[in-house]
Amino acid sequence: AAWSPDGKWVAFNSNRNGPQDIYRKLAGGAGDEEPLLVSGAPFKLLDQWSPDGRYLLFEQPDAVTGWDVWLLPVEGERKPKPVLNSRFNESGSQISPDGHWIAYSSDESGRNEVYVQSFPTPESKYQVTTSGGWSGTWSKDGKEMLIAGLDGTILSVDVQTGASFRAGTPRVLFKPRQDNLSWTATSELQRFIQVVPVGATAPNSI
């Protein structure tokens, strides 16, 4: 699922009709669920609601280019268009709070690394990790990015956005429990929520 920037809507995936389609519903529960993208493509996996509230980012596989990132307008004609569709797999896309950059993971080097590319025009591109990584979560102020290492370790990277992009050296923030299934962070990246199996023993440290 993905929250709208104003917190009023929740967009989500559902395979109620077979394929993974995209819907939205008012977060307060009122009204019916509204389909935003219904098609025969079996997978359309949500990544993010753009900071300006105009688009949804989602991933979709292609027989030639592998996993690609698409941009879906929330209003109007709602005709999706690819935004990252090289011959490599791209996933985990996140637009920076200022709307000028998009972070994503790609296996173009032979393993998954995190990259940042100018948005919406792909004029500049930077590699953020060199030891492997998945996706990149921006802090609310756009000055920090969280990255999941290939071994599950959570890394923090100081970044600068605007007309240009700069990234510091990734540093270890913490390593989640080994039975961690998924995690998320609050917008200021100060608190973390993890999904773990029921009945698991308490962690020794964090």
Side-chain angles (χ1 to χ4, degrees), residues 27 37 88 90 98 150:
L37 180 59
F88 305 103
E90 294 94 8
D98 65 6
L150 298 183

Side-chain angles (χ1 to χ4, degrees), residues 34-67:
E34 178 186 3
L36 296 179
L37 180 59
V38 175
S39 73
F43 299 107
K44 297 175 281 291
L45 306 182
L46 271 176
D47 281 344
Q48 183 203 28
W49 204 311
S50 67
D52 61 10
R54 298 173 58 194
Y55 303 99
L56 286 169
L57 287 168
F58 70 95
E59 304 166 27
Q60 183 171 282
D62 181 88
V64 176
T65 59
W67 282 90

Side-chain angles (χ1 to χ4, degrees), residues 12-200:
F12 60 93
N13 284 120
S14 174
N15 63 353
R16 63 190 64 180
N17 297 316
Q20 285 274 11
D21 294 321
I22 299 176
Y23 300 78
R24 74 173 174 180
K25 185 177 177 65
L26 285 168
D32 296 327
E33 297 166 356
E34 178 186 3
L36 296 179
L37 180 59
V38 175
S39 73
F43 299 107
K44 297 175 281 291
L45 306 182
L46 271 176
D47 281 344
Q48 183 203 28
W49 204 311
S50 67
D52 61 10
R54 298 173 58 194
Y55 303 99
L56 286 169
L57 287 168
F58 70 95
E59 304 166 27
Q60 183 171 282
D62 181 88
V64 176
T65 59
W67 282 90
D68 300 323
V69 174
W70 290 66
L71 205 62
L72 172 67
V74 177
E75 307 296 343
E77 190 178 356
R78 294 179 184 164
K79 184 177 180 180
K81 63 178 181 179
V83 63
L84 295 167
N85 64 329
S86 71
R87 57 189 179 92
F88 305 103
N89 292 303
E90 294 94 8
S91 62
S93 58
Q94 296 280 314
I95 298 174
S96 62
D98 65 6
H100 294 313
W101 302 91
I102 182 170
Y104 63 98
S105 59
S106 170
D107 60 2
E108 62 186 78
S109 69
R111 67 179 174 188
N112 272 287
E113 301 282 2
V114 175
Y115 299 84
V116 168
Q117 181 174 289
S118 55
F119 179 84
T121 305
E123 296 175 342
S124 303
K125 177 181 173 181
Y126 301 88
Q127 184 172 340
V128 179
T129 62
T130 57
S131 301
W134 295 94
S135 185
T137 301
W138 304 89
S139 62
K140 190 175 182 179
D141 61 8
K143 295 181 179 180
E144 184 182 2
M145 184 185 295
L146 292 186
I147 292 169
L150 298 183
D151 64 351
T153 299
I154 306 304
L155 307 171
S156 173
V157 183
D158 293 327
V159 296
Q160 295 179 12
T161 61
S164 60
F165 175 82
R166 294 182 64 184
T169 302
R171 63 186 185 275
V172 175
L173 194 60
F174 68 92
K175 191 167 185 176
R177 288 171 47 165
Q178 291 185 346
D179 58 0
N180 166 61
L181 301 178
S182 64
W183 62 274
T184 190
T186 55
S187 59
E188 73 282 358
L189 306 188
Q190 295 300 305
R191 293 184 295 165
F192 298 82
I193 298 173
Q194 298 180 50
V195 179
V196 296
V198 173

